[in-house]
Amino acid sequence: MSATTTFEEDNITPARRRDPLLVVLWVALVTVAAIWVAPFVFITFTAMKSNSDVMTTSAFSPPTDIAWENFSGAWKKGNFSNTFLNSVIITAVKVPLGLLISAMAAYALARIRLRWGRFLLVFVLFGAMIPFQVMLAPLFTLVNSLGLIDTYIGVILPYLAFGVPYQVFILHGFFRAVPKELSEAALIDGASHFTVFRRIFLPISLPVLAALLILDFVATWNEFAMALVLLQNKNMWTLPLGLMSFQGQFSNSYGQLNAAIVMTVLPAVIVYLIFQRYFVSGLTSGAVKG
Amino acid sequence: MATVQVRDLKKSYGAAEVIHGVSMDISHGEFVILVGPSGCGKSTLLRMIAGLEDISGGTVSIGDRVVNALSPKERNIAMVFQNYALYPQMTVAQNLGFSLEISSVPKATIRQKVADAAEILGLTSLLDRKPSQLSGGQRQRVAMGRAIVRDPDVFLFDEPLSNLDAKLRVRMRAEIKALHQRLGTTVVYVTHDQVEAMTMADRIVVLRAGSIEQVGAPLDLYDEPANMFVAGFLGSPSMNFLKGELVPGSAARMQLESGETLALAARPEGVVSDVVLGLRPQDMAIDPERGTPAKVMVVEPTGSDTHVLAMIGDTEIACVLDGRPGIAAGEMVPLSFASDKVHFFDPKTEARLTTTGLSRAGAGPA
Ligand SMILES: Nc1ncnc2c1ncn2[C@@H]1O[C@H](COP(=O)(O)OP(=O)(O)OP(=O)(O)O)[C@@H](O)[C@H]1O
Ligand SMILES: [Mg+2]
């Protein structure tokens, strides 16, 4: 193809010409993605290699024969059935409950005229600004004085307290942006505030809720510091605590260690894969503007 | 009987009062339109009737109940909003049936009523669509359908047509009017569009800055506006106002501020000197014999008639001339007016002055 025809083509379909900025952005995106994926590939591959393979092959070469026994071995040695169950219980209670409380609070603050509404909102948001690390010691004292150390509820309550403000902040912003005529129309149609919340607001905020659910699930599932302080009994430990203890004991059985990491991360990945389609489809369908 | 009675209604936001004691009586089955410029309080008034806005003073009664303290759902009203406020995640059928569903009407009845409403509004083929898959006009119809399935005592409309294009607006105007004739329900309808008000209303309430200026049947307001505001608001293009002084003597003559003298076939009752003359653009004509010379500024042919903007002295005059007079900008044309259709206003109070006809017909320069 001669230079002139290329030139003409460019003139006819200017949209097809490659914008140099776009190319740069693409390169940047691919680089970032590669940096992110590299440890993941490394961990997954290593988890499936026997210890001798780990020593002899490159970190990024795929395993030749898959060492499934890494997983079962790590599961047994690390007492994973116990820590896994604890994590499941705590996350399964905390995440939906926290999201529900946040959503209801955000609705009330955004749509019901309350005398102290503004003050309450500021008060709740203030909670999101306190780094929980500085609260660890007083938190321990408080939970201890309630006799809730080494109980599920003793972890779930602080998790809720530290998780709700941020979610209220996000959901309040979202609910405020919903045209007020929408709730007014429903109120005229005879709905109570609870019905408006459940039938109108929850469905249209599905994308946001899905995003918050993913974030909160990952944060709760991986939470380490508070669990370390509040759960002293080994039998009450969550996965991150179990993983750390496992790492301390078996730091040179690379295969099993990485198998343990994969097993810890896998539920978060699954939850992400299940719920991401809600927020992707929600974001593209223009749910609110309808 | 669903009458609506508003007594001395007031609304304040903090220290600012935006509705200053409005009273009106709407009888059963009446189509009343609240009209006025932007920010005059139409929506606020309607929302107070609906129960969406707290009442700062006065009472609202629907039927024979005072509803001040009742929530919107206890008032048995239906409202159509400017942006339609359709529930985005529900289908058209679910949108229509929502109010029935939450008052636990049996499923079969809901289906029947939704089907009936869809039939009336021509939505039957769209029942399974989501609002985002509808055109503006169809959404508007769904919003109306949602109102009619409830069989309410009163319909409240807040500028329901202002998001539609001009053609569709004309059609929906006719459809809403037909719907009202068919259902016979009381309607309170808010618009800032005087054409909508003139064409649809049984009675118009003209509001300005939170107070009622005048209430009456459309043509009564058009023919006998209480003041310059109402006269200028109703009718399109707006009425021309010419300031001047009546020349003393029996024959009515008026000297404009710019110096021209007009002969009139009527004059205000009593002894007055300073007046504002009100002329509808439609009452103007080109008349080589008796017309006042005016300089043509803009000519806008609409096909059936021609809108002309002209200057008499330094006063701008809008005219709607029959047909295609074949004039161009920059020309001088002799303009006359049907002098029995003039209005006089008091320049200070802006109130209309009653006129007495004079024997001599026709008008023009003296
Ligand atoms: N929440 C509020 N706080 C303070 N002032 C308000 C509030 N809502 C409305 N107003 C004022 O009340 C007046 C009436 O508003 P309203 O919405 O009723 O006007 P409108 O006649 O419906 O106008 P439009 O034709 O533009 O819809 C306006 O001057 C507006 O600024
Ligand atoms: Mg309004």
Side-chain angles (χ1 to χ4, degrees):
Chain A
M1 198 185 288
S2 76
T4 23
T5 47
T6 318
F7 178 72
E8 276 168 3
E9 267 180 13
D10 278 1
N11 262 352
I12 294 162
T13 54
R16 247 199 241 160
R17 207 174 53 206
R18 294 225 163 73
D19 183 343
L21 182 64
L22 206 59
V23 174
V24 173
L25 289 176
W26 270 104
V27 171
L29 178 64
V30 169
T31 315
V32 170
I35 293 172
W36 272 91
V37 165
F40 186 74
V41 170
F42 165 77
I43 290 170
T44 317
F45 283 175
T46 312
M48 295 188 286
K49 289 175 186 171
S50 65
N51 245 7
S52 56
D53 273 0
V54 174
M55 293 306 172
T56 52
T57 61
S58 131
F60 291 100
S61 64
T64 40
D65 43 10
I66 294 171
W68 290 117
E69 66 276 8
N70 281 346
F71 291 88
S72 51
W75 185 271
K76 274 201 214 81
K77 278 198 243 168
N79 193 19
F80 268 76
S81 51
N82 204 344
T83 53
F84 198 87
L85 180 71
N86 290 336
S87 275
V88 166
I89 290 174
I90 289 170
T91 310
V93 174
K94 190 268 153 171
V95 173
L97 186 64
L99 217 47
L100 186 69
I101 294 173
S102 302
M104 295 205 289
Y107 177 85
L109 289 169
R111 275 295 186 271
I112 303 178
R113 244 172 298 160
L114 303 169
R115 181 170 275 262
W116 297 102
R118 278 197 99 75
F119 172 75
L120 275 173
L121 180 66
V122 171
F123 188 72
V124 169
L125 297 189
F126 190 64
M129 295 170 198
I130 305 172
F132 74 90
Q133 288 87 344
V134 306
M135 301 281 285
L136 278 181
L139 190 63
F140 175 80
T141 320
L142 178 65
V143 175
N144 195 25
S145 70
L146 294 172
L148 293 175
I149 294 292
D150 290 336
T151 59
Y152 291 132
I153 199 158
V155 189
I156 290 173
L157 286 179
Y159 278 5
L160 286 175
F162 284 97
V164 161
Y166 171 73
Q167 295 180 345
V168 169
F169 175 66
I170 300 289
L171 286 169
H172 178 261
F174 185 81
F175 288 167
R176 280 297 291 266
V178 174
K180 73 174 193 292
E181 287 85 357
L182 212 55
S183 35
E184 288 174 348
L187 289 178
I188 288 178
D189 269 352
S192 61
H193 269 300
F194 186 73
T195 312
V196 178
F197 171 70
R198 197 174 60 83
R199 297 291 307 275
I200 315 285
F201 276 68
L202 282 192
I204 58 179
S205 50
L206 220 52
V208 188
L209 290 173
L212 285 177
L213 185 132
I214 291 172
L215 291 175
D216 196 37
F217 182 93
V218 172
T220 308
W221 189 257
N222 293 338
E223 205 287 327
F224 182 76
M226 264 194 268
L228 184 68
V229 171
L230 299 174
L231 300 173
Q232 314 266 312
N233 182 341
K234 237 176 134 104
N235 287 326
M236 292 302 294
W237 276 2
T238 53
L239 268 181
L241 298 185
L243 188 63
M244 190 195 61
S245 148
F246 186 88
Q247 204 172 356
Q249 293 171 57
F250 308 100
S251 58
N252 45 16
S253 32
Y254 294 109
Q256 291 194 352
L257 180 57
N258 284 291
I261 294 174
V262 169
M263 287 188 292
T264 306
V265 172
L266 203 59
V269 174
I270 292 171
V271 166
Y272 174 80
L273 291 178
I274 293 173
F275 287 96
Q276 55 89 25
R277 77 193 167 91
Y278 288 108
F279 82 93
V280 172
S281 73
L283 290 178
T284 50
S285 72
V288 178
K289 291 278 147 61
Chain B
M1 290 292 279
T3 59
V4 177
Q5 242 185 34
V6 172
R7 281 279 160 272
D8 201 26
L9 201 60
K10 293 191 171 117
K11 175 72 190 177
S12 314
Y13 290 107
E17 192 175 79
V18 297
I19 304 279
H20 316 287
V22 164
S23 301
M24 57 187 184
D25 282 297
I26 298 168
S27 43
H28 176 74
E30 203 176 10
F31 198 124
V32 168
I33 293 192
L34 308 181
V35 67
S38 184
C40 69
K42 309 175 294 284
S43 299
T44 308
L45 197 53
L46 195 74
R47 291 165 56 80
M48 283 198 282
I49 297 174
L52 297 172
E53 218 55 82
D54 288 337
I55 292 172
S56 309
T59 57
V60 174
S61 318
I62 296 175
D64 40 22
R65 297 185 299 169
V66 174
V67 297
N68 282 33
L70 299 186
S71 67
K73 67 173 167 182
E74 293 163 319
R75 300 188 183 194
N76 197 24
I77 43 143
M79 185 154 168
V80 176
F81 295 87
Q82 178 174 359
N83 62 3
Y84 317 139
L86 302 181
Y87 311 127
Q89 78 288 2
M90 299 185 196
T91 62
V92 169
Q94 288 167 332
N95 262 284
L96 294 178
F98 183 69
S99 62
L100 301 174
E101 189 196 326
I102 55 182
S103 47
S104 356
V105 173
K107 282 231 162 55
T109 318
I110 296 179
R111 249 197 313 269
Q112 188 54 47
K113 287 200 167 188
V114 167
D116 290 348
E119 176 74 43
I120 292 175
L121 294 164
L123 292 169
T124 309
S125 60
L126 305 173
L127 282 176
D128 293 326
R129 298 240 196 122
K130 293 274 174 69
S132 56
Q133 300 163 319
L134 299 177
S135 72
Q138 291 166 336
R139 285 180 208 183
Q140 211 282 332
R141 246 175 273 201
V142 177
M144 294 215 306
R146 205 166 59 176
I148 65 176
V149 288
R150 303 202 25 220
D151 203 6
D153 287 340
V154 184
F155 281 123
L156 305 175
F157 290 89
D158 193 354
E159 307 205 13
L161 304 184
S162 53
N163 284 353
L164 303 179
D165 67 56
K167 250 210 171 99
L168 199 54
R169 208 176 308 160
V170 173
R171 205 175 91 202
M172 289 310 295
R173 225 155 62 193
E175 282 192 24
I176 292 179
K177 205 166 173 186
L179 194 67
H180 172 248
Q181 270 152 14
R182 173 174 177 159
L183 301 173
T185 312
T186 311
V187 173
V188 185
Y189 185 110
V190 162
T191 179
H192 62 260
D193 178 353
Q194 55 87 25
V195 180
E196 262 171 48
M198 291 297 292
T199 52
M200 295 168 78
D202 292 331
R203 227 149 37 105
I204 297 179
V205 176
V206 182
L207 290 168
R208 170 160 70 160
S211 303
I212 292 183
E213 291 287 314
Q214 194 176 3
V215 182
L219 293 179
D220 290 348
L221 296 198
Y222 187 84
D223 292 337
E224 293 175 359
N227 52 40
M228 284 173 69
F229 177 78
V230 177
F233 195 82
L234 298 178
S236 168
S238 289
M239 185 183 274
N240 297 301
F241 295 111
L242 294 86
K243 270 193 172 170
E245 216 177 307
L246 288 178
V247 179
S250 60
R253 283 200 202 153
M254 181 177 166
Q255 178 153 35
L256 299 182
E257 277 183 339
S258 50
E260 283 80 2
T261 315
L262 303 176
L264 307 165
R267 58 170 293 144
E269 270 175 10
V271 188
V272 280
S273 167
D274 289 344
V275 290
V276 174
L277 176 69
L279 294 172
R280 296 246 178 237
Q282 289 80 359
D283 298 335
M284 313 285 298
I286 292 178
D287 183 343
E289 281 164 35
R290 288 177 311 198
T292 310
K295 184 168 192 205
V296 177
M297 308 301 292
V298 181
V299 181
E300 299 173 325
T302 67
S304 58
D305 49 25
T306 305
H307 292 210
V308 175
L309 198 63
M311 304 286 281
I312 295 184
D314 52 9
T315 312
E316 228 174 42
I317 306 275
C319 320
V320 176
L321 302 175
D322 285 342
R324 300 165 190 189
I327 53 176
E331 268 178 51
M332 296 296 288
V333 292
L335 275 184
S336 72
F337 51 92
S339 59
D340 51 334
K341 289 186 180 164
V342 299
H343 300 282
F344 294 100
F345 302 93
D346 185 317
K348 287 195 199 70
T349 63
E350 301 200 343
R352 192 170 64 98
L353 305 167
T354 37
T355 51
T356 50
L358 297 173
S359 50
R360 189 180 140 243

